[in-house]
Amino acid sequence: MPATPRSRRERPAKPALTREGIVAVAVEILRAEGLPKVTMRRLAQELDTGPASLYVYVRNTAELHAAVLDELLGSIGPAPAAGGWRERLEGVLVAYTRMLLEYPSLARSALTAWPSGPHYLDLIETLLGLLDEGGVPRERAAWGVDLLLQRATATAAEHAGEASREDWDTLGQALSQVSDRTHPHIAAASGVLLSGAPEARVSWAFQALINGIERTAVPEPRD
């Protein structure tokens, strides 16, 4: 005997849509299936609604991905309590990089996705505070934060790329076999171009940038 269809009044009511709820479900999909599956259509299926209803809360997929990034930034936590301002600043940037490394596709998306949520603002506030603690002039600190976050994001995106160990070895072999007649500088530096552990290179890059931000004046605005 066929089942009797249930009326709409007998079905349990769906929870009301909210931006926070949409982002929370998007984060769950990211963790389970990766960023390519974090789409309006996939979210609509998960939330048992139509894609059009989601656009009331999120304008497009790019904004959705930026909101997901902002949500994950909440896992970084405050700056380390111990150590000097440089060491603590580097610690925050390394934590941000490691978070992105857990989500390879998000790391690449983060190169163009600009979050503006509370966790991103907290991150900027933390970085500015540490630079201020080190006596870095405000203008240099303001420009420097952008540079530091770009470097952290690019580092995560690079290491999250599709290049295989074979590609890396092929590059190393090519560098080691160049002629000192045609490429004298590469030949002289071939032993160190790809040397060092990834963690050491990441740390060195942040230290070099912090030193440069501290010492490089922001140009005066032109008339």
Side-chain angles (χ1 to χ4, degrees):
M1 186 174 180
T4 303
R6 298 174 63 186
S7 70
R8 286 183 174 271
R9 293 182 179 180
E10 294 176 347
R11 297 174 188 173
K14 293 184 294 186
L17 288 175
T18 63
R19 180 181 172 90
E20 293 76 13
I22 291 170
V23 173
V25 172
V27 171
E28 292 177 3
I29 296 173
L30 168 71
R31 287 173 170 158
E33 304 175 34
L35 191 67
K37 295 295 185 180
V38 183
T39 65
M40 294 298 197
R41 184 175 299 277
R42 178 70 179 84
L43 269 176
Q45 292 175 350
E46 194 71 23
L47 293 166
D48 191 23
T49 188
S53 63
L54 302 181
Y55 289 102
V56 176
Y57 304 92
V58 184
R59 288 178 299 175
N60 49 46
T61 302
E63 182 180 314
L64 176 63
H65 290 177
V68 167
L69 173 58
D70 184 77
E71 185 69 18
L72 292 172
L73 286 174
S75 66
I76 292 179
W85 70 273
R86 292 171 181 274
E87 181 182 357
R88 292 156 60 211
L89 177 58
E90 183 183 333
V92 174
L93 293 166
V94 168
Y96 170 66
T97 306
R98 286 176 177 166
M99 184 276 291
L100 284 179
L101 284 170
E102 294 181 20
Y103 306 98
S105 52
L106 184 63
R108 291 188 289 272
S109 175
L111 289 172
T112 55
W114 288 76
S116 56
H119 295 127
Y120 189 69
L121 296 180
D122 288 344
L123 175 61
I124 294 176
E125 178 69 16
T126 297
L127 298 178
L128 287 173
L130 289 168
L131 289 166
D132 181 70
E133 183 180 327
V136 178
R138 182 165 299 167
E139 294 79 6
R140 300 181 194 180
W143 284 29
V145 163
D146 180 53
L147 187 61
L148 290 167
L149 290 177
Q150 282 184 25
R151 173 62 194 183
T153 304
T155 297
E158 177 187 12
H159 286 274
E162 305 270 332
S164 66
R165 181 66 197 182
E166 183 178 354
D167 295 331
W168 185 260
D169 292 340
T170 300
L171 174 59
Q173 185 178 13
L175 291 173
S176 66
Q177 293 179 349
V178 297
S179 169
D180 58 4
R181 292 184 296 103
T182 57
H183 301 84
H185 297 293
I186 293 180
S190 62
V192 293
L193 279 171
L194 301 181
S195 66
E199 296 81 4
R201 293 180 73 103
V202 168
S203 176
W204 181 88
F206 285 137
Q207 291 176 33
L209 286 176
I210 293 169
N211 289 336
I213 292 166
E214 184 181 19
R215 293 173 173 80
T216 306
V218 172
E220 295 290 337
R222 297 181 178 180
D223 295 333

